[in-house]
Structure formats: structure tokens, C-alpha cells
Amino acid sequence: RTNLQDQHHIKMGVLSELAKVANETHVLVNNNMAIQLKLAAELSEFKAATTNRPEDVQAAIYARSRFEEHVKKQAIVDSGTPP
């Protein structure tokens, strides 16, 4: 019985560590996505301001909306409340 209890505690520790690593990976990936989306929005806005072409303006609007959507969704995840 002690051996089973020991194995159970070991497995629970491993699962706990896996959950921690999974969460940290998720946070890192989301942070990197936010950086990329913000960069795309800012560069698109710069290009639109420079060229003033309608397709560049539309691309800038779209890029900014994708970044803002990501930020809103991440805030929901970070708050721990379901959407």
C-alpha cells in the first residue's frame, strides 16, 4: 500500500509540473503573438500613412483590429473568467 501511495504522489507531482510548464508555454506563445500582431499593425499603419493607398489603409485597419481582438481575448483568459 505504501508503494502505491508513493507512486501516486510521484505521478501527481509530475502532472503538476507538466501543467505548470504547459501554462508557462501558453503564456509565452500568447505574449509573442501579441508582439507580432502589434508590430504588424504599426508597420501597416506606417505604410498606409506613407502611401495613402486604399488597400494599405484597409490592411492597416484589419491589422489593428486583429491586435485589439487578441488583447481583449487575452484579458479574458488572464482574468480567469469564462467568456
Side-chain angles (χ1 to χ4, degrees):
R1 178 166 174 113
T2 301
N3 193 23
L4 288 176
Q5 288 175 336
D6 290 345
Q7 288 178 5
H8 174 74
H9 289 298
I10 290 169
K11 287 179 184 178
M12 292 307 292
V14 169
L15 289 175
S16 177
E17 191 61 31
L18 277 173
K20 180 181 172 190
V21 169
N23 183 59
E24 289 172 356
T25 301
H26 181 76
V27 169
L28 179 63
V29 168
N30 279 338
N31 183 52
N32 287 340
M33 176 61 92
I35 291 168
Q36 290 302 314
L37 289 170
K38 185 174 183 183
L39 179 61
E42 290 180 1
L43 289 173
S44 295
E45 290 165 349
F46 175 78
K47 183 177 181 182
T50 302
T51 68
N52 210 26
R53 294 187 331 196
E55 60 269 23
D56 293 337
V57 172
Q58 284 301 101
I61 291 167
Y62 178 75
R64 177 59 60 180
S65 72
R66 298 298 297 155
F67 170 66
E68 290 174 357
E69 182 181 339
H70 177 81
V71 170
K72 286 178 188 176
K73 287 180 178 179
Q74 191 56 46
I76 292 168
V77 170
D78 292 342
S79 73
T81 57

